[in-house]
C-alpha cells in the first residue's frame, strides 16, 4: 500500500503537508499548485498496473471535462477517471489533451480524432460536442438517446447492499449526506441514482425518513456543513448509519462528528463512495464503495477507437460494477 511518506517523497513536500492536504485542512497555507501536485501524486500512486508502450498509434484524443480545475480538486472522482484514460492512451501510443467544456471551440478541437466527455452534460452541451463532427464517448451518464457510446458506474446495487449491511448490523435508522449537481449551461439538476435508490429501497422496507437526508455540493466543506446541520437538527435522534455521496464529502463529515465528540463507528457508522486515495488516510480510514474509475477510463479509449474504425456502429452503454472496501469507519 502506498504510504503518506511515498506521496511526500514523490511530491517533494513534507509528510505533515501531505497529511493536511489529503484531509482538506483549510487552515493550511499552500499554493494551489502544491495542493494539486500532492492530490495528483496520491491518486497516480494508486495505479499498480503499468502498461507497456506499444508503437505510436498516432491518434489525438481530447478529454473534455465539465468541472473547472478547482472543482476537480474538491471531488477527485473525475480526476481518477482521467488517469484511467491517460494510462490506457499511453499504453496504446495515443496522445491526449485535457480541455474544460467552457474553453472548447472549433479551432481548438479540429486537430483531434475524437472526444471523451467526462461528467454530466445537458442537451445543449451534448449537441455542442456533436457539432464538431468527431466521435464522442461519454463517461458518467447514459447518453444513448443522443446516439453516443457511454459508460457509467453501477451505483444502485451498492446502495441496496449498504442498507442491507446496516440492517444486518442492527442499524435501521439510516441517513444520507448526498451531493447535488447542476449542468453548466442549462443549470439542470443532475439525477443522482444513489439518492433515488436510497429513497426507494428504504421506503420498501418501511424505514425511510426524509428528515435523515441532507443534500448539498460535493466536497469536504459541504460535507462538514451538512453533517453539522444534521447534528443540530436531530440531536439524540441522529441516525446510527450514514451513507455519504463521496469520499471528499466524508472527510468533512468526519471532521464535524469529531468536533462534536461523536464516535465513529461506535455511535455513527459511515460508508462513502469512490475510494479515492484520501479514503485510506482519514482517521478512521473510510469504508467506501470502490468505483472502478481506471477501468471506466480505459474502456472509454477502447470504445472511442472502435467508433473511429466504424462510425456506423450501434451505440453502446457499458455499466461498470463496484465493490465495497471495508475499513474502519463502519461496523
Amino acid at each position: 500500500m502506498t504510504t503518506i511518506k511515498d506521496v511526500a517523497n514523490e511530491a517533494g513536500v513534507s509528510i505533515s503537508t501531505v497529511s493536511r492536504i489529503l484531509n482538506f485542512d483549510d487552515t493550511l497555507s499552500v499554493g494551489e499548485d502544491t495542493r494539486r501536485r500532492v492530490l495528483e501524486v496520491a491518486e497516480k500512486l494508486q495505479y499498480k498496473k503499468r502498461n507497456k508502450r506499444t508503437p505510436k498509434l498516432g491518434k489525438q484524443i481530447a478529454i473534455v471535462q465539465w468541472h473547472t480545475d478547482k472543482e476537480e480538486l474538491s471531488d477527485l472522482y473525475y480526476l481518477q477517471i482521467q488517469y484511467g484514460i491517460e494510462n490506457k492512451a499511453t499504453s496504446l501510443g495515443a496522445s491526449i489533451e485535457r480541455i474544460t467544456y467552457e474553453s472548447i471551440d472549433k479551432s481548438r478541437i479540429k486537430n483531434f480524432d475524437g472526444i471523451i466527455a467526462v461528467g454530466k452534460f445537458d442537451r445543449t452541451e451534448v449537441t455542442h460536442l456533436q457539432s464538431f463532427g468527431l466521435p464522442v464517448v461519454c463517461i458518467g451518464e447514459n447518453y444513448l438517446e443522443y446516439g453516443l457510446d457511454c459508460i457509467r458506474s453501477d451505483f444502485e446495487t451498492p446502495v441496496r447492499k449498504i442498507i442491507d449491511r446496516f440492517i444486518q448490523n442492527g442499524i435501521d435508522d439510516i441517513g444520507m449526506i448526498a451531493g447535488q449537481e447542476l449542468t453548466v449551461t442549462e443549470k439542470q439538476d443532475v439525477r443522482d441514482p444513489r439518492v433515488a435508490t436510497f429513497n426507494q429501497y428504504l421506503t420498501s422496507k418501511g424505514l425511510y425518513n426524509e428528515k435523515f437526508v441532507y443534500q448539498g455540493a460535493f466536497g469536504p466543506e459541504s460535507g462538514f456543513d451538512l453533517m453539522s446541520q444534521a447534528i443540530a437538527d436531530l440531536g439524540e435522534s441522529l441516525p446510527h448509519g450514514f451513507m455519504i455521496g463521496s469520499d471528499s464529502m466524508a472527510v468533512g463529515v468526519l471532521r464535524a462528528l469529531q468536533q462534536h465528540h461523536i464516535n465513529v463507528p461506535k455511535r455513527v457508522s459511515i460508508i462513502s463512495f469512490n475510494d479515492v486515495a484520501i479514503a485510506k488516510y482519514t482517521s478512521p480510514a473510510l469504508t467506501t464503495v470502490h468505483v472502478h474509475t481506471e477501468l471506466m477510463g480505459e474502456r472509454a479509449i477502447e470504445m472511442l477507437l472502435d467508433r473511429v474504425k466504424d462510425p456506423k456502429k450501434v451505440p453502446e452503454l457499458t455499466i461498470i460494477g463496484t465493490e465495497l472496501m471495508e475499513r474502519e469507519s463502519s461496523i
Side-chain angles (χ1 to χ4, degrees), residues 152-321:
R152 74 171 185 88
S153 289
D154 172 20
F155 285 127
E156 294 86 351
T157 301
V159 168
R160 291 188 287 267
K161 287 184 175 181
I162 290 169
I163 290 171
D164 289 341
R165 173 194 170 101
F166 278 143
I167 294 172
Q168 289 165 6
N169 283 283
I171 297 173
D172 59 8
D173 53 336
I174 304 169
M176 186 170 199
I177 304 288
Q180 280 184 320
E181 297 175 302
L182 298 175
T183 59
V184 175
T185 303
E186 297 181 10
K187 304 301 180 186
Q188 290 184 355
D189 286 322
V190 176
R191 178 185 178 275
D192 189 333
R194 288 164 293 197
V195 176
T197 305
F198 179 89
N199 295 349
Q200 292 164 2
Y201 197 55
L202 278 179
T203 297
S204 73
K205 294 180 174 294
L207 297 175
Y208 178 71
N209 187 336
E210 63 180 359
K211 294 180 179 178
F212 292 169
V213 179
Y214 289 79
Q215 287 187 263
F218 280 100
E221 297 85 3
S222 176
F224 176 84
D225 291 341
L226 292 171
M227 180 52 80
S228 297
Q229 188 62 55
I231 293 168
D233 291 345
L234 302 172
E236 293 300 317
S237 298
L238 187 73
H240 287 75
F242 267 97
M243 196 178 305
I244 314 297
S246 72
D247 297 331
S248 59
M249 291 187 85
V251 170
V253 167
L254 284 174
R255 190 161 67 240
L257 291 167
Q258 288 163 357
Q259 285 190 10
H260 287 83
H261 308 290
I262 297 173
N263 185 276
V264 177
K266 290 182 180 179
R267 173 57 180 86
V268 174
S269 281
I270 288 176
I271 300 178
S272 58
F273 280 81
N274 297 344
D275 194 28
V276 299
I278 58 173
K280 304 172 182 67
Y281 303 117
T282 58
S283 182
L286 289 169
T287 297
T288 183
V289 174
H290 181 79
V291 178
H292 290 278
T293 48
E294 69 283 358
L295 181 58
M296 294 169 70
E298 292 171 6
R299 183 67 185 121
I301 288 282
E302 295 168 355
M303 293 176 78
L304 184 65
L305 295 178
D306 287 345
R307 176 62 58 187
V308 170
K309 291 178 184 176
D310 183 6
K312 296 186 181 298
K313 183 176 70 70
V314 175
E316 298 178 22
L317 166 64
T318 297
I319 300 176
I320 305 293

Side-chain angles (χ1 to χ4, degrees), residues 59-74:
K59 299 297 183 184
Q60 294 185 321
I61 299 168
I63 303 176
V64 177
Q65 58 195 50
W66 78 317
H67 274 173
T68 65
D69 288 343
K70 186 173 182 180
E71 289 171 330
E72 195 174 61
L73 293 185
S74 292

Side-chain angles (χ1 to χ4, degrees), residues 12-33:
V13 297
S14 70
I15 292 174
S16 173
T17 296
V18 170
S19 178
R20 294 174 70 182
I21 288 175
L22 292 179
N23 282 281
F24 291 93
D25 185 345
D26 55 11
T27 67
L28 177 64
S29 179
V30 296
E32 283 301 309
D33 288 347

Side-chain angles (χ1 to χ4, degrees), residues 134-145:
L134 297 175
V136 179
V137 173
C138 295
I139 304 180
E141 289 288 297
N142 180 350
Y143 293 101
L144 287 179
E145 65 177 297

